[in-house]
Each structure stands twice: as C-alpha cells, then as structure tokens.
Amino acid sequence: MNVKEVRITFHEYENEKELSQDEQVLLGKALQATDNSYAPYSEFHVGAAVLLEDGTVVIGSNQENAAYPSGLCAERVALFYAQSQYPGVKIKALAVSAKADHFHIEAPITPCGSCRQVIVEVEQRQKEKIRIIMQGETGPVHVVQGIEALLPFSFHEEKLKKKL
Ligand code: THU
C-alpha cells in the first residue's frame, strides 16, 4: 500500500485591487450580476462572469425555483449561455462573487460540485484550462488556473469511451 498526496495550488490576494485590471473588471461584473439573481428561497445571490477568448463577457446569476432542484447556479447559467451562444469560442476565465440578504460574505465563494463537474467538461472540450477567480462580496480573492485544483480525480468523457 502506498500513501499518495494530491497538492493544489491557489493564489490568494488580499482583495481585488491586487488583481490585474482585466481580472478586476471581470470580478466586478460577477458582483454586478448578483443583482440579476432570483433567490427568494436561499436569499443568497451569486454572480458569475465568463471571459471568452474574443473578449466577450457573459454574465449569469443563480435562478431558483419553488421546486428547489429545478433552480440553477450562477456558474452554470453563465457557462451554458456562453456555450450555446458562442459555440467554439474558448472560455478563458470565470469569476464568481456573491452577496446575501442578511449577512456579509467575506470569504471567497467556490463553485459547487455540480458546477465543478461542468467546468471539467468545458475544459475537456476546449482543451484549455479556465482561470477561476473567486471572491465573496468583499475580502480576499482566490484564483486557480484550471478546475483540477478544485476537482481532482474528476470523472470525464474519456472514461466513457469503449474499445470496439
Ligand atoms: N449557488 C450558486 O449559484 N453558485 C455556487 O457556487 C454555490 C451556490 C446558489 C445555488 C442556490 O441558488 C444558492 O446559491 C444557495 O445555495
């Protein structure tokens, strides 16, 4: 038996002002996108902004439903919109931010497991990693270069291929 370790690397910035100008703008758009969230049940408003290789920015926000599982996270709203409206255009970065009705979010928001799985597939399709920039309403920013840092040992499409 061997004990093995998986290490992840992430960059922590004290706040958004330490980011590049482009990343500050993208994160700002993610925070703005929280205004379009529909979250009457959780009262937790998440915004996502996706940067495409041609400079286009697509935003998304969580959209809830009285039948709870029918709602969708901000990240998947933005990613699926980008893929359906701009097929073949690579996604370079995804910024995520959030604010809540009754408390202040100071810790970075990280994509949920289902969103991580979707990001895995986007990276596989485009054969390029996505830079993921995460912040709460304010406070430190965490950045990872590629979803593997957030979802090691992921399940991906290669594993579905059967030999003839
Ligand atoms: N949510 C997101 O939109 N993204 C995340 O990364 C975490 C959770 C949403 C889902 C639900 O509408 C609300 O936040 C509370 O879980």
Side-chain angles (χ1 to χ4, degrees):
M1 191 273 279
N2 293 315
V3 177
K4 298 188 175 185
E5 250 181 57
V6 176
R7 301 182 104 188
I8 69 156
T9 302
F10 67 99
H11 292 177
E12 182 174 61
Y13 299 85
E14 207 174 301
N15 58 50
E16 68 283 356
K17 293 188 186 76
E18 287 187 1
L19 297 171
S20 70
Q21 188 62 32
D22 287 356
E23 289 182 350
Q24 280 186 45
V25 170
L26 195 67
L27 197 53
K29 289 188 176 181
L31 182 59
Q32 265 177 18
T34 61
D35 292 339
N36 306 338
S37 145
Y38 175 64
Y41 307 105
S42 69
E43 300 178 328
F44 192 85
H45 307 272
V46 185
V50 163
L51 174 68
L52 306 185
E53 61 182 343
D54 65 1
T56 303
V57 173
V58 166
I59 59 167
S61 52
N62 55 326
Q63 302 296 319
E64 296 185 349
N65 193 279
Y68 289 7
S70 301
L72 201 62
C73 292
E75 295 91 325
R76 275 176 289 163
V77 169
L79 289 167
F80 289 152
Y81 183 89
Q83 289 194 310
S84 55
Q85 294 298 309
Y86 303 94
V89 184
K90 287 184 181 173
I91 292 172
K92 304 296 282 186
L94 164 70
V96 188
S97 183
K99 62 179 188 236
D101 288 346
H102 303 293
F103 59 96
H104 187 84
I105 305 170
E106 285 172 33
I109 293 299
T110 52
C112 79
S114 296
C115 289
R116 292 178 198 205
Q117 184 66 34
V118 166
I119 298 167
V120 166
E121 187 121 355
V122 177
E123 286 191 352
Q124 294 272 320
R125 280 180 81 181
Q126 65 180 25
K127 298 184 176 56
E128 206 171 295
K129 289 179 187 294
I130 297 175
R131 194 167 176 80
I132 305 170
I133 303 155
M134 300 159 282
Q135 190 186 34
E137 191 174 353
T138 57
V141 182
H142 288 174
V143 180
V144 294
Q145 185 62 30
I147 191 63
E148 199 181 359
L150 300 182
L151 191 62
F153 295 104
S154 65
F155 180 80
H156 52 83
E157 160 268 341
E158 275 298 306
K159 294 177 181 164
L160 291 177
K161 285 190 181 149
K162 294 183 189 137
K163 284 198 177 129
L164 292 173

